[in-house]
Amino acid sequence: MLFQSGSLAVRTLEQMDNALLAKWLSDPTVLEFYAGRDDPHDLNKVNAAFYAQEDDEVRCIIEYDAKAIGYIQFYPLDDESKREYGYKDKDENIYGMDQFIGEVDYWNRGIGTLLVTSMVNYLTADKQADMVVMDPQTRNARAIRCYEKCGFRKVKLLPQSELHEGKYQDCWLIEYR
């Protein structure tokens, strides 16, 4: 377990979680704001996307009251990503993170705010992150409100930066310092 905050816990992804990821990532309600409704994931696609990669991403499952409800990943930004986002100080320890709550019944209950705040606290305390960044699509107003409640601020519009459902979407670079 990486950390626990009240009823919320975050643990590293295990192979047996692949069925949960396939369930969540084939739900059109979840896909509308995560991978895209035109990109459902079956077990093979989940295994290739979440288990076969060799990179610096730490992949985790979100639990609430001991029930797996979603996914979160975090990673140190590499020099190329820092350059793309406009960060000039290469020595700054900047982490990125992405997440979704896959159990729709757990949406709009404050769990996302608790999750993001807890993960930022973990990254700044345990990983000595100087900054945490995300790049949500500008149309994802609910997520952006959550992130702003957690102390993130919009710093840069990223025009047409993410292909989603066949169309390039604008995203916000947001940061927590």
Side-chain angles (χ1 to χ4, degrees), residues 37-55:
R37 291 167 289 199
D38 60 345
D39 191 21
H41 287 52
D42 60 15
L43 277 175
N44 289 332
K45 193 167 192 171
V46 163
N47 288 334
F50 291 87
Y51 295 94
Q53 298 183 14
E54 297 285 329
D55 54 31

Side-chain angles (χ1 to χ4, degrees), residues 82-147:
K82 287 180 182 179
R83 196 169 35 260
E84 282 178 25
Y85 285 155
Y87 296 114
K88 299 191 184 340
D89 183 356
K90 291 185 179 182
D91 293 332
E92 245 183 334
N93 190 20
I94 304 173
Y95 272 78
M97 60 187 249
D98 309 289
Q99 61 280 318
F100 65 86
I101 295 177
E103 296 292 335
V104 178
D105 291 345
Y106 287 79
W107 288 11
N108 300 313
R109 293 176 48 183
I111 297 168
T113 301
L114 176 60
L115 170 67
V116 170
T117 299
S118 299
M119 181 55 77
V120 166
N121 290 339
Y122 171 78
L123 292 173
T124 55
D126 289 42
K127 300 295 183 183
Q128 288 78 48
D130 298 310
M131 183 185 337
V132 181
V133 298
M134 291 189 279
D135 58 356
Q137 293 177 13
T138 58
R139 65 185 190 85
N140 196 346
R142 184 178 65 230
I144 292 168
R145 277 192 309 274
C146 169
Y147 304 151

